[in-house]
Amino acid sequence: MLAQILIPAVALLCLAPFVSSGVALLAGVVLALWLGNPYLDKTRKITHSLLGLSVMGMGAGMNLEVIGKVGLQGVGYTVAGISLALGMGVVLGKLYKTEKDTSVLITVGTAICGGSAIAAVAPVIKAKHHEVSVALGTVFMLNAVALFIFPPLGHFFHLSQTQFGLWSALAIHDTSSVVGASMQYGAEALQVGTTVKLARALWIVPVAFFVGYLYSKQNDAGPRQKGKKPWFILGFLIAAALVTWIPSLQPVGHVVNEVAKRMLVLTLFLIGLSLTRDTVRSVGVKPFLQGVSLWIVVASGTLGAILLGWIH
């Protein structure tokens, strides 16, 4: 009964301007683990759509020419970073003897964009429900950690807003946590982080095809299902194009952008509510060790490359 009252109340509170993304996520996690989430099915259904709408709305506050420039500059290190992460994930999966499909899902989730990549690749490899749950649980917990530790680490290493946005996009799994972390660091960090992350998310499609091709070569298990498409990226680009090429829309775009940021805070609260006790228990030691090890390699490697000026 208490959970049925508190969850809607805190959800409404998350729309207030004084509630940060980190506080919203933490509130969701605490409520889920303390009281449980009686609305679990409903919150899971609306979270993905709400995240997509939030990202699209944030496009209304960005310049498409800047987005294009940042996206083109990042093609080289994006390809290199994804390739290295995929290779390292395979090695770590064998080292920890993680179940093959679980290992693949954790690897693509870390290499590209967390839950979205897992959702796209899971039907392609016909992953079982518990394998998807383990991969999502692993990635989710690391996302929650990243939201809290990345901003302090960015200040510790004296990263500029551009550097921090870039590091967040390359090292944090999900788009929601990239936006949440970079939003705490500054407006420029938010723009760079969101742009680079969405450009990186475009690689879901070719990677899903590639993984499906490898699986079809290894075992003839019949036709594969199609993965989910990151439709929100197109919406983000359309919104940015409208405010860039129709200057009269910029005041409206600013309002839409601010509303989208509050929607994202609410989304992070709903994501926190998804971390149930069952989800925590479902993540075994081996998958979790693989996920943490791969994340440390990716995060430290990209940070080092940014500090050395190899990535800018």
Side-chain angles (χ1 to χ4, degrees):
M1 185 66 179
L2 182 58
Q4 293 176 333
I5 297 173
L6 275 180
I7 289 176
V10 177
L12 288 173
L13 192 62
C14 287
L15 296 175
F18 56 81
V19 179
S20 68
S21 54
V23 169
L25 179 66
L26 181 61
V29 171
V30 169
L31 285 175
L33 297 180
W34 174 37
L35 299 174
N37 180 7
Y39 308 107
L40 186 60
D41 291 337
K42 293 181 180 178
T43 54
R44 282 180 173 172
K45 284 180 181 179
I46 66 175
T47 296
H48 181 73
S49 297
L50 197 59
L51 172 61
L53 290 171
S54 299
V55 171
M56 288 168 59
M58 290 177 63
M62 299 189 181
N63 188 297
L64 188 61
E65 294 175 358
V66 174
I67 292 171
K69 183 179 178 181
V70 172
L72 288 174
Q73 286 177 339
V75 170
Y77 56 70
T78 295
V79 174
I82 291 175
S83 300
L84 289 172
L86 291 175
M88 183 59 67
V90 171
V91 172
L92 289 172
K94 291 181 178 179
L95 178 66
Y96 290 118
K97 297 180 180 178
T98 310
E99 289 183 354
K100 180 182 176 183
D101 288 355
T102 304
S103 175
V104 169
L105 293 176
I106 290 173
T107 298
V108 297
T110 305
I112 308 176
C113 59
S116 298
I118 291 172
V121 172
V124 173
I125 66 175
K126 293 186 176 179
K128 299 178 179 64
H129 178 72
H130 79 276
E131 294 169 333
V132 178
S133 297
V134 168
L136 287 172
T138 302
V139 165
F140 177 84
M141 285 192 282
L142 296 179
N143 266 323
V145 171
L147 197 63
F148 293 105
I149 69 171
F150 265 59
L153 284 174
H155 290 298
F156 177 80
F157 287 105
H158 305 291
L159 298 181
S160 66
Q161 287 202 32
T162 299
Q163 288 177 318
F164 183 82
L166 186 56
W167 183 42
S168 296
L170 298 178
I172 299 178
H173 303 78
D174 277 329
T175 303
S176 57
S177 291
V178 171
V179 175
S182 56
M183 190 162 58
Q184 296 177 53
Y185 211 78
E188 187 179 346
L190 174 62
Q191 178 158 330
V192 172
T194 304
T195 302
V196 174
K197 191 63 179 180
L198 293 180
R200 193 179 185 85
L202 291 170
W203 289 87
I204 292 176
V205 177
V207 168
F209 277 119
F210 177 67
V211 171
Y213 171 76
L214 291 181
Y215 265 65
S216 66
K217 295 289 285 184
Q218 292 174 10
N219 49 72
D220 186 13
R224 303 284 171 180
Q225 302 176 48
K226 292 183 178 180
K228 295 181 180 179
K229 303 296 189 299
W231 54 268
F232 57 87
I233 299 175
L234 179 61
F236 174 87
L237 294 174
I238 291 174
L242 287 173
V243 297
T244 300
W245 293 327
I246 308 178
S248 60
L249 292 179
Q250 289 179 3
V252 176
H254 177 73
V255 174
V256 171
N257 180 51
E258 291 302 315
V259 171
K261 288 180 182 179
R262 299 320 309 167
M263 286 175 61
L264 178 74
V265 174
L266 173 59
T267 303
L268 288 168
F269 170 68
L270 297 179
I271 290 174
L273 286 174
S274 299
L275 186 63
T276 63
R277 296 169 187 170
D278 289 337
T279 303
V280 174
R281 283 194 292 265
S282 73
V283 179
V285 175
K286 292 179 180 179
F288 186 70
L289 287 176
Q290 179 187 351
V292 171
S293 300
L294 182 57
W295 186 46
I296 290 174
V297 170
V298 171
S300 58
T302 51
L303 177 60
I306 289 171
L307 290 174
L308 291 172
W310 297 348
I311 298 177
H312 52 81

